[in-house]
Amino acid sequence: MQRRSFLWALAAPAMVTGMATTPVTAQTDAPIRIGMTVSSAGTFALAAQSGERGLQIWLDDVNSRGGIDIGGKKRKVELVKLDDRSDKTLVPRVYETLIKDEKVDLVFGPFGSTLTAAAANATETNGKFMVIWSASADSIYRQGYKYIVSATQIAGTLLGQPAVRALHAMGVKKIAFAYLDEPFPASLTQGAIELARKLGMEVTMEEKFAKGTKDFNILIQKARASGAEAFYPTAYEGDQMTIARQIREANADFKAVYLVYASQPQFLQQAGKDGHYVFSQTLLHEKINWPVTHGLNRAQMMERYAKLFPNAQYTADFQTILAYGAGVVTEQIISTAQSLDAAKMKEAALKLSGKIVTATGEYEIDETGKQFKNEFSIMQTTPTGLEVVYPPPVATAKPIYPVPPFSQRK
């Protein structure tokens, strides 16, 4: 089997938004082609597909305005999608297909740090600008890559810190950490532990677990035996649903449990009572409204989501708005650069640092492309719904702390 046939056998057929049937030419008003992989199955599927819907909202908006002006000509934007199946070994080859065979002008990263790290070598080697919308692992930005920019996703070591500040403000003095042994959970936990110790909190446990772990009871019992008031296990969404269920089944009465994904619509729907009183974080809530300078605001984005995806299984979530915001930043980068050259786009991205506020928040990067703003708000799931509990300027309710013991819950 030839190489190209092999890749397409592994990956889903390319799906192009608004793509013409004629071959792409070098004309100055040809569509801008953005490549991206989206997981059809596996660990990252839910989040990847949610993010892709956010990018589609930006595409719909920018193309309704005629596209992006480069050199006095409006150029519409097309999205070329392939399937990475949540498989990091497949990712480099699929991105090479996007670049070499599909001739995309730039790329969006896949979901998450694990897959994005796998994509970065391929995009960098081929001189393509990559917009990161979800990967947060600090290690990605220490590799010396020239053409990557995190448009909206805050760096991993900063990502988990708002939750620590919130727990500290509630009075938590002892906290136990557990994390999946992958770049994103490790970075988030590292930053959270560092801040916890700086604030004078006692870290009673710091344990990692392997991908594929299904039984978390030993970790739960170890955290409880450590005397921790708060349990802070970090993994991806499916694992966190399992952790929430097993905490309830074990009647492990921590005063607080923090699960980063517990405010996601799919988590709330599938976890049910297992997720009650759990703390989490998000960028997307009806009470969180940034003073937007570029793109749609939160309410407008949600309206466009309802229009474009009336039959979506889940409502928009923070992955959706992260990818939408990344599209907005990308538009400003291209407009400022007046070019699709990777070096010129990186230069423009740096010039724009501190000058853009999207629906996700403020945009600020350093020379490596690492994002420092777009800090998440802390939520708590109550039996009557989600509430913003931190930071105080956007809080809609005081946190319930300590949470009720399982024996007292209905």
Side-chain angles (χ1 to χ4, degrees):
M1 182 182 291
Q2 293 181 342
R3 182 176 182 273
R4 176 169 169 79
S5 298
F6 171 71
L7 285 172
W8 283 83
L10 287 175
M15 295 178 286
V16 184
T17 303
M19 182 178 178
T21 56
T22 53
V24 175
T25 67
Q27 66 208 52
T28 57
D29 58 347
I32 298 168
R33 289 166 64 81
I34 297 179
M36 180 185 189
T37 66
V38 182
S39 307
S40 67
T43 304
F44 309 126
L46 284 175
Q49 292 163 25
S50 179
E52 188 261 329
R53 288 193 288 273
L55 190 56
Q56 292 285 4
I57 294 171
W58 170 66
L59 286 168
D60 180 72
D61 182 52
V62 70
N63 287 334
S64 72
R65 292 183 274 110
I68 302 175
D69 186 290
I70 302 180
K73 287 188 177 288
K74 287 274 193 177
R75 297 176 61 176
K76 291 199 172 184
V77 184
E78 298 175 344
L79 179 63
V80 184
K81 298 182 294 182
L82 293 179
D83 186 1
D84 58 41
R85 298 187 182 179
S86 300
D87 184 351
K88 67 180 180 181
T89 64
L90 179 61
V91 165
R93 291 176 289 170
V94 180
Y95 271 85
E96 284 193 357
T97 298
L98 287 167
I99 295 166
K100 295 180 179 180
D101 298 339
E102 293 302 319
K103 309 296 183 186
V104 297
D105 296 299
L106 67 150
V107 301
F108 262 56
F111 170 77
S113 298
T114 299
L115 301 187
T116 300
N121 278 327
T123 61
E124 196 78 9
T125 299
N126 288 281
K128 287 297 177 184
F129 189 74
M130 180 163 74
V131 179
I132 293 172
W133 62 275
S134 74
S136 62
D138 293 65
S139 57
I140 293 173
Y141 305 97
R142 293 195 289 263
Q143 305 307 310
Y145 296 134
K146 297 179 181 178
Y147 307 131
I148 62 170
V149 164
S150 178
T152 46
Q153 177 61 66
I154 193 170
T157 50
L158 304 175
L159 183 61
Q161 293 189 352
V164 173
R165 283 194 286 271
L167 292 168
H168 180 260
M170 292 175 212
V172 172
K173 293 181 174 61
K174 296 182 179 182
I175 184 168
F177 291 91
Y179 62 94
L180 175 65
D181 190 15
E182 288 202 352
F184 161 65
S187 290
L188 186 153
T189 305
Q190 176 189 347
I193 289 172
E194 181 181 329
L195 180 61
R197 288 178 171 149
K198 187 180 293 186
L199 292 173
M201 301 167 78
E202 180 184 347
V203 176
T204 63
M205 185 181 93
E206 183 180 342
E207 293 281 333
K208 61 185 176 183
F209 55 89
K211 183 178 181 179
T213 298
K214 299 300 181 186
D215 187 347
F216 298 95
N217 279 290
I218 293 175
L219 284 172
I220 293 167
Q221 296 302 336
K222 187 172 181 179
R224 185 159 61 170
S226 75
E229 297 159 327
F231 185 34
Y232 191 129
T234 303
Y236 294 106
E237 196 165 5
D239 286 341
Q240 293 208 322
M241 290 180 188
T242 303
I243 290 169
R245 175 174 52 80
Q246 292 182 0
I247 288 174
R248 178 186 57 78
E249 290 173 347
N251 288 314
D253 287 323
F254 298 100
K255 291 182 178 180
V257 172
Y258 173 77
L259 300 172
V260 63
Y261 288 104
S263 57
Q264 292 286 78
Q266 50 268 37
F267 187 105
L268 294 169
Q269 181 176 320
Q270 295 186 34
K273 291 183 178 181
D274 294 345
H276 282 184
Y277 301 104
V278 168
F279 294 95
S280 60
Q281 65 185 44
T282 189
L283 288 168
L284 183 60
H285 186 272
E286 62 183 12
K287 299 289 185 180
I288 303 172
N289 294 293
W290 284 92
V292 170
T293 62
H294 295 83
L296 305 174
N297 62 31
R298 181 203 58 80
Q300 291 167 332
M301 194 213 75
M302 293 297 290
E303 182 179 350
R304 194 69 62 98
Y305 186 95
K307 174 186 173 184
L308 294 176
F309 309 107
N311 299 316
Q313 184 178 4
Y314 301 110
T315 188
D317 58 27
F318 77 79
Q319 309 291 358
T320 313
I321 202 168
L322 277 174
Y324 168 72
V328 174
V329 172
T330 301
E331 180 179 350
Q332 297 310 309
I333 290 171
I334 295 171
S335 295
T336 301
Q338 284 293 290
S339 172
L340 296 171
D341 173 77
K344 291 180 179 179
M345 283 192 284
K346 178 63 180 291
E347 182 181 355
L350 289 167
K351 286 180 180 178
L352 289 166
S353 181
K355 299 176 181 177
I356 297 175
V357 180
T358 72
T360 63
E362 300 164 296
Y363 164 80
E364 184 177 302
I365 61 169
D366 67 7
E367 292 286 336
T368 70
K370 186 163 77 170
Q371 179 64 235
F372 287 85
K373 291 295 184 75
N374 285 285
E375 193 166 274
F376 283 62
S377 296
I378 304 305
M379 317 293 289
Q380 186 175 29
T381 306
T382 74
T384 56
L386 275 174
E387 296 289 351
V388 186
V389 297
Y390 189 88
V394 294
T396 59
K398 292 183 178 180
I400 299 170
Y401 177 86
V403 303
F406 286 103
S407 62
Q408 297 178 14
R409 301 185 195 182
K410 296 181 180 179

